[in-house]
DNA sequence: CCAAAAGTGTTAAAGCTACACCCATGT
DNA sequence: ACATGGGTGTAGCTTTAACACTTTTGG
């Protein structure tokens, strides 16, 4: 199969098996060395970056599509994933053209000659925004068919992105920070067992500010969501800290109390 | 034009001018005599109730579509309207059939004979949920083309609804209550000028619990969003209360601080 | 003069913030 | 011994909750 045939079958697959008019975008947050990162892709044959996204199969739940897309970009399963807003401005994809995109993807002949009338199944997209929290070191960033590169960016060095994607990141971060105040977070971001300062550092990174060690300890223990273990790993030049782990049932309970999302 | 022709043009209009796969549902809250109400419609030729909804024109912003749908059901403009969640389970419309629905709407011949292949432009819908707050007495409930009746229901007497619409109401109410704690609400729900107890009663209705009169007064005045007028209407058998009104600029400011929705 | 609603201030409890001292370990 | 990171408690402050008496008005 030459490149155009592959594209043709890709387009037909889209038309036949995916919902038209609906897409989704992922704001994937990671944490590394005290820095908050976000995963971006570089658009095929271009210097422009944007958020990874996906589409919804006709036989697939919306949330499931988001999990699948996340898996495809990161190689990870069962992550913290949360819908935060649906974007639907008419002009949100200004400058996007299928024709041009397909050319960059390797289309040689004009589109009509392939016998696919794109306008008939694509007008414009409503996009459902999700944000995810992932463990940076476990991620294997993988470009999709429409991108050349997939990599982490420091959250405060994200360039001007295509479309409305800078807005999406801003709103995702804001929603995440608010959510942090009434939900426990960390289950999929930390190893099974972790120290209090690892957890605190995660919170500090998300919130973008320092927290008082003692107050943090009291608050988090008040949630009754952590279990302290007897193990105390030795750490160079310091007292051996306790390890903690999440009480699974309590953690789930807190999540569910605050979220009757039906995706 | 006979009924079938009207339906045909309705369907063709949907196919040609509206986004496929995307719909929206409205949880319209009203307040009357200390009761919280929600506006429901009765499905064509059926005893089943559900939320009013709408679709998005190809040339229309998502939020604009929601405003338009709200206007069509209530006759009101410029209302408080807020997106709260997008619903996308594959089976969320169980038992819904276009064929059946169109028959109830007056279709006489089988669908194929109309020359419209519904399956080609409709598979299933993702639905964007919005909630609205409206002034009960100003609303003129108007059924849409797919419903026989449109009327208010007490929030705690809502029957089993079609689809996932009971979930939607629950989640809308929960989101609204949370929002109340960091945003002023009332601008489109109360007359231009109102008394403190009217405002308090609105809050109590939304929250579903009584508030302390003195504490409420202090908190609301701390927002610095109300302006006290000199007028004091006389009320039967009681001391004349002050009238208040919202400071428009401050009210808008508080709304915008907390909402960078890009809909 | 009595019932009904409205105006207002004080006190207690809870939650959050700030802050300091001691302990274990490796160099 | 000392530098580094970890464990823990207390005091002040701010925010929220509880609560009661007085005023006006119509009947």
């Amino acid at each position: 199969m030459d490149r155009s045939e592959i594209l043709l079958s890709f387009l037909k697959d889209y038309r036949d098996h995916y919902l038209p008019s609906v897409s989704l975008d992922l704001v994937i947050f990671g944490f590394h060395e005290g820095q908050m990162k976000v995963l971006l892709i570089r658009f095929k044959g271009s210097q422009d970056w944007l958020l990874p996204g996906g589409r919804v199969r006709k036989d697939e739940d919306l949330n499931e599509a988001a999990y699948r897309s996340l898996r495809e970009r990161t190689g990870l399963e069962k992550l913290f994933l949360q819908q935060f807003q649906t974007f639907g401005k008419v002009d949100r994809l200004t400058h996007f053209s299928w024709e041009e995109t397909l050319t960059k993807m390797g289309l040689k002949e004009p589109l009509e000659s392939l016998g696919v009338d794109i306008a008939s199944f694509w007008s414009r997209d409503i996009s459902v925004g999700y944000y995810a929290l992932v463990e940076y070191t476990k991620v294997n960033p993988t470009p999709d068919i429409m991108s050349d590169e997939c990599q982490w960016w420091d959250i405060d060095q994200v360039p001007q992105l295509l479309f409305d994607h800078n807005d999406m990141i801003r709103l995702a971060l804001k929603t995440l920070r608010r959510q942090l105040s009434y939900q426990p977070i960390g289950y999929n971001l930390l190893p099974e067992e972790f120290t209090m300062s690892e957890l605190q550092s995660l919170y500090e990174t998300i919130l973008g500010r320092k927290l008082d060690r003692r107050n943090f300890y009291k608050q988090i223990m008040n949630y009754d969501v952590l279990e302290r273990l007897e193990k105390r790993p030795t750490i160079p030049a310091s007292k051996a800290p306790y390890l903690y782990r999440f009480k699974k049932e309590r953690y789930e309970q807190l999540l569910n109390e605050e979220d009757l999302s039906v995706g």
Side-chain angles (χ1 to χ4, degrees), chain A residues 33-184:
Chain A
E33 293 178 350
Q35 249 296 329
M36 189 148 186
K37 313 268 188 181
V38 62
L39 200 60
L40 299 177
I41 59 179
R42 186 164 57 74
F43 204 68
K44 203 84 187 175
S46 137
Q47 291 310 311
D48 295 320
W49 293 81
L50 74 166
L51 291 173
R55 302 194 71 90
V56 185
R57 290 186 61 93
K58 287 183 176 172
D59 58 0
E60 179 184 53
D61 289 349
L62 175 61
N63 279 348
E64 205 180 294
Y67 275 111
R68 179 177 50 74
S69 306
L70 182 57
R71 198 162 54 233
E72 287 168 3
R73 288 307 122 258
T74 63
L76 299 180
E77 308 247 6
K78 285 195 179 180
L79 299 158
F80 181 93
L81 183 68
Q82 178 88 21
Q83 186 189 311
F84 66 96
Q85 168 100 228
T86 297
F87 300 82
K89 280 217 188 291
V90 170
D91 62 359
R92 50 180 291 277
L93 297 190
T94 38
H95 310 313
F96 178 85
S97 135
W98 266 110
E99 185 84 37
E100 199 183 320
T101 303
L102 290 167
T103 305
K104 285 177 182 164
M105 289 167 74
L107 181 75
K108 303 228 168 43
E109 317 144 62
L111 206 51
E112 305 84 54
S113 68
L114 287 175
V116 175
D117 178 15
I118 278 210
S120 75
F121 71 92
W122 192 85
S123 50
R124 68 171 172 116
D125 283 340
I126 298 288
S127 179
V128 185
Y130 284 83
Y131 65 85
L133 303 178
V134 307
E135 201 184 328
Y136 178 87
T137 54
K138 288 200 181 152
V139 171
N140 175 24
T142 311
D144 63 15
I145 189 170
M146 280 160 68
S147 58
D148 286 330
E149 238 183 306
C150 180
Q151 69 171 47
W152 289 108
W153 286 71
D154 283 0
I155 192 81
D156 42 18
Q157 278 167 33
V158 168
Q160 175 86 46
L161 305 178
L162 287 178
F163 316 140
D164 49 0
H165 288 187
N166 293 91
D167 287 333
M168 287 192 186
I169 294 181
R170 240 191 340 269
L171 187 60
L173 190 55
K174 183 165 188 164
T175 310
L176 168 58
R177 284 177 178 166
R178 179 170 305 147
Q179 180 162 6
L180 206 57
S181 67
Y182 53 79
Q183 288 209 343

Side-chain angles (χ1 to χ4, degrees), chain A residues 231-235 238-242:
Chain A
K231 288 193 259 179
R232 310 182 67 166
T234 60
I235 283 187
S238 91
K239 184 171 173 177
Y242 286 105

